[in-house]
């Protein structure tokens, strides 16, 4: 549903990486492409004993490239990206680096374990005990990221660790386009049941699309195997694959990075530096007053009368200025109200209405006593015929930016309902996760990297 793909990913014999760019038009797709382009070089370098340090310094170099890219193209200011990377190290270990809200998991002995910690505002609230993990899933600020790589005015604060690798482990890295729209139990089921990593990626992407798919979704899956394995070269997907020219941005080490400076230098104790602070002068009258001498009485001269007339003119001008400002504010409110009404009238959402999947126009909220939405259509799709994850999303409403988008969501739910109602015998019941999205292309007739790229778009 996005106009561009801000995710980038990489999968190779010794290195896995996910990068979810942010910044919208400010260049999230550029930031993720620069990062993956730089870090993919690690797949051709032995990690050795210093794999963790090699990973750390490489990520810092990618951060410098992003900042230099802003120096080359100032319109990209503010761009950034998450990074979750796994590099093979000696001694059956992996070096793990993480920043942002992309995630890493390990499936070991049929148990899916998280190996990263979200750097988000809601995760901070969970850590402090202010909200529950369940409340975090629907919190309005759940997408606010506290730490990222890029032009954010701070040095990257990475989570770094060495992880044990066991034969049979399955590692998965993903952008929040997967975890934000697919249930974790459904994700674990696919990773357990689907042996081929490419097919597992496709089915996980289908889960996200069936859940609404309102964000870019990229999935990287790698299996830990024993012995020497013949593996093809690594594959890049997402923005770095679609826009290879982005990799050259920021590559010139001589590019100067613009730094904002304050007008006055401030000392640690809060005092202002004397060599930059303005100097207050004392005029003749003030000096006489401070010396204790008496100032002469002022008389109402012609010059003073002229000064008073000028003051009256100034007051009159300010009065006119006040009316002009008031008129501008009224016009701005009217224009803002028009655009707000226009925006609300073009929004839709799908929700549960008395057990049926229903379409609403507007926003699922109220403004005081005013409802900002109304019912458009009630379908014949029974909410009870859908899997538990879809039912939960319908209770909270699934947003859509247009009528076509809403129709696509309803069509996916209808397909899911039809498949659920057609199950019998030893097939899972209707509460089991289903896959309403179209089947992916035959992996034998298409290049896996191209297929995953098309799905991530």
């Amino acid at each position: 549903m996005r106009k561009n793909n801000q995710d980038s990913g990489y999968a190779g014999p010794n290195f896995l990486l996910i990068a979810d760019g942010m910044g919208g038009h400010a260049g999230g797709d550029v930031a993720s492409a620069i990062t993956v382009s730089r870090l993919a070089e690690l797949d051709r370098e032995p990690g050795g004993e210093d794999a963790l340090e090699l990973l750390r310094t490489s990520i810092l170099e990618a951060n410098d490239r992003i900042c230099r890219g802003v120096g080359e193209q100032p319109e990209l200011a503010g761009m950034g990206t998450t990074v979750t990377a796994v590099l093979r190290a000696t001694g059956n270990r992996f070096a793990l680096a993480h920043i942002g809200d992309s995630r890493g998991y390990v499936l070991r002995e049929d148990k899916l374990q998280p190996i990263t910690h979200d750097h988000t505002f809601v995760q901070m609230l969970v850590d402090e005990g202010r909200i529950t993990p369940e409340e975090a899933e629907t919190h309005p600020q759940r997408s606010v990221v506290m730490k990222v790589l890029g032009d954010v005015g701070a040095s990257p604060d990475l989570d770094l660790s060495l992880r044990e690798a066991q034969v049979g482990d399955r590692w998965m890295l993903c952008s929040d386009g997967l975890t934000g729209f697919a249930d974790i139990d459904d994700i674990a089921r696919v990773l357990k049941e689907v042996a081929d990593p490419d097919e597992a990626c496709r089915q996980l992407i289908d889960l996200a699309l069936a859940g609404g798919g309102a964000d870019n979704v990229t999935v990287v899956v790698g299996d830990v195997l024993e012995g020497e394995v013949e593996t093809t070269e690594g594959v890049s997907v997402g923005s770095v694959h679609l826009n290879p020219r982005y990799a050259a941005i920021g590559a010139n080490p001589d590019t100067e990075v613009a730094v904002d400076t304050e007008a006055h230098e401030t000392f640690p104790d809060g005092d202002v530096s004397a060599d930059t602070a303005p100097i207050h002068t004392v005029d003749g009258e003030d000096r006489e007053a401070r010396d204790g001498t008496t100032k002469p009485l002022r008389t109402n001269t012609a010059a003073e009368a002229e000064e008073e007339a000028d003051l009256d003119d100034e007051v009159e001008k300010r009065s006119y200025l006040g009316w002009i400002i008031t008129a501008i504010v009224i016009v701005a409110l009217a224009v803002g109200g028009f655009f707000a009404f226009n925006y609300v009238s073009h929004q839709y959402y799908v929700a549960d209405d008395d057990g049926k999947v229903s379409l609403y126009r507007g926003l699922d909220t109220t403004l005081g006593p005013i409802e900002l939405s109304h019912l458009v259509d009630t379908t014949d799709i029974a909410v009870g015929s859908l899997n538990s994850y879809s039912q939960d999303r319908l209770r909270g409403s699934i947003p859509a930016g247009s009528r076509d988008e809403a129709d696509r969501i309803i069509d996916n739910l209808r397909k899911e309902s039809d498949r659920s109602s057609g199950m019998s015998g030893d097939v899972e019941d209707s509460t089991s996760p289903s896959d309403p999205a179209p089947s992916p292309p035959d992996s034998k007739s298409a290049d896996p990297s191209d297929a995953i790229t098309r799905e991530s778009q």
Side-chain angles (χ1 to χ4, degrees):
M1 298 180 184
R2 296 287 181 90
K3 292 183 178 180
N4 66 333
N5 189 355
Q6 297 193 36
D7 289 0
S8 292
Y10 179 87
N14 305 292
F15 187 57
L16 306 178
L17 171 64
I18 190 79
D20 183 356
M22 60 198 63
H25 295 294
D29 48 355
V30 176
S32 71
I34 291 174
T35 300
V36 172
S37 172
R38 168 61 184 90
L39 297 182
E41 300 171 6
L42 296 178
D43 200 26
R44 296 184 291 274
E45 300 177 7
E49 294 293 335
D50 298 326
L52 197 61
E53 177 62 16
L54 177 62
L55 185 56
R56 185 188 73 84
T57 55
S58 298
I59 292 176
L60 294 180
E61 168 60 20
N63 184 76
D64 290 343
R65 285 195 184 184
I66 294 174
C67 294
R68 290 198 297 267
V70 174
E72 295 173 0
Q73 301 184 27
E75 66 272 15
L76 298 175
M79 67 175 174
T81 181
T82 70
V83 174
T84 303
V86 177
L87 176 64
R88 184 180 176 187
T90 58
N92 293 328
R93 294 181 300 173
F94 283 129
L96 172 67
H98 170 71
I99 186 170
D101 64 346
S102 296
R103 292 185 180 178
Y105 293 87
V106 171
L107 181 68
R108 176 175 294 173
E109 298 177 353
D110 285 342
K111 182 178 180 182
L112 189 62
Q113 308 169 14
I115 56 172
T116 57
H117 193 73
D118 289 351
H119 297 147
T120 59
F121 176 69
V122 294
Q123 185 60 52
M124 180 187 69
L125 297 181
V126 172
D127 295 342
E128 295 176 352
R130 296 165 62 181
I131 63 174
T132 66
E134 293 74 21
E135 291 172 331
E137 293 178 359
T138 57
H139 197 281
Q141 276 79 47
R142 61 186 177 276
S143 298
V144 177
V145 184
M146 308 291 286
K147 299 178 183 178
V148 292
L149 205 69
D151 181 40
V152 294
S155 179
D157 184 10
L158 303 170
D159 290 347
L160 298 165
S161 62
L162 283 172
R163 299 277 175 163
E164 178 188 5
Q166 294 184 9
V167 175
D169 285 352
R170 168 164 280 187
W171 290 64
M172 182 193 75
L173 310 181
C174 65
S175 61
D176 62 343
L178 175 65
T179 53
F181 294 90
D183 186 81
I184 192 64
D185 293 334
D186 293 341
I187 295 173
R189 175 184 59 79
V190 171
L191 291 173
K192 293 176 187 177
E193 297 177 358
V194 182
D196 180 63
D198 287 335
E199 181 60 26
C201 285
R202 293 187 182 95
Q203 292 196 22
L204 290 171
I205 289 172
D206 286 343
L207 283 178
L209 297 178
D215 195 1
N216 305 142
V217 52
T218 306
V219 184
V220 179
V221 173
D223 294 333
V224 180
L225 305 178
E226 186 174 12
E228 295 295 329
V229 181
E230 292 185 4
T231 308
T232 59
E233 281 192 7
V235 176
S236 297
V237 296
S239 178
V240 68
H241 175 76
L242 299 171
N243 309 295
R245 64 189 183 280
Y246 290 167
I249 297 177
N252 183 4
D254 297 327
T255 301
E256 294 185 3
V257 179
V259 179
D260 292 334
T261 57
E262 294 293 333
H264 300 295
E265 180 183 357
T266 303
F267 292 114
D269 60 0
D271 294 334
V272 180
S273 171
D275 60 349
T276 57
I279 299 176
H280 297 284
T281 59
V282 180
D283 60 23
E285 290 188 354
D286 286 341
R287 187 179 295 111
E288 289 180 2
R290 293 183 184 183
D291 292 340
T293 57
T294 304
K295 294 187 293 184
L297 293 177
R298 301 180 64 191
T299 58
N300 189 10
T301 62
E304 187 174 23
E306 183 178 350
E307 181 180 340
E308 291 179 354
D310 292 340
L311 181 60
D312 291 339
D313 291 340
E314 181 67 22
V315 171
E316 186 175 359
K317 290 179 182 178
R318 290 183 181 181
S319 178
Y320 283 128
L321 181 61
W323 281 108
I324 293 173
I325 292 175
T326 301
I328 292 174
V329 170
I330 293 173
V331 171
L333 290 174
V335 173
F338 170 77
F339 282 107
F341 174 79
N342 187 60
Y343 172 78
V344 171
S345 63
H346 285 80
Q347 299 301 304
Y348 293 84
Y349 65 90
V350 182
D352 179 357
D353 180 37
D354 198 21
K356 296 292 185 181
V357 175
S358 301
L359 174 63
Y360 290 80
R361 184 172 185 175
L363 298 177
D364 185 17
T365 186
T366 59
L367 187 61
I370 303 174
E371 292 282 348
L372 296 185
S373 64
H374 64 275
L375 180 64
V376 174
D377 185 29
T378 299
T379 71
D380 58 353
I381 305 172
V383 175
S385 65
L386 305 173
N387 64 47
S388 57
Y389 181 69
S390 294
Q391 293 182 35
D392 289 341
R393 285 182 57 77
L394 284 168
R395 293 189 188 99
S397 78
I398 305 175
S402 66
R403 179 61 185 266
D404 289 342
E405 182 181 326
D407 290 340
R408 285 196 299 270
I409 294 173
I410 292 174
D411 186 54
N412 281 338
L413 294 173
R414 187 181 300 280
K415 292 176 182 177
E416 177 185 328
S417 176
D418 292 343
R419 279 195 294 271
S420 298
S421 62
M423 292 182 180
S424 61
D426 59 351
V427 182
E428 296 177 352
D429 61 24
S430 62
T431 62
S432 299
S434 60
D435 181 13
S439 299
D442 187 354
S443 60
K444 295 181 180 179
S445 61
D447 179 65
S449 64
D450 290 339
I452 297 176
T453 301
R454 288 193 297 273
E455 292 292 344
S456 67
Q457 292 179 54

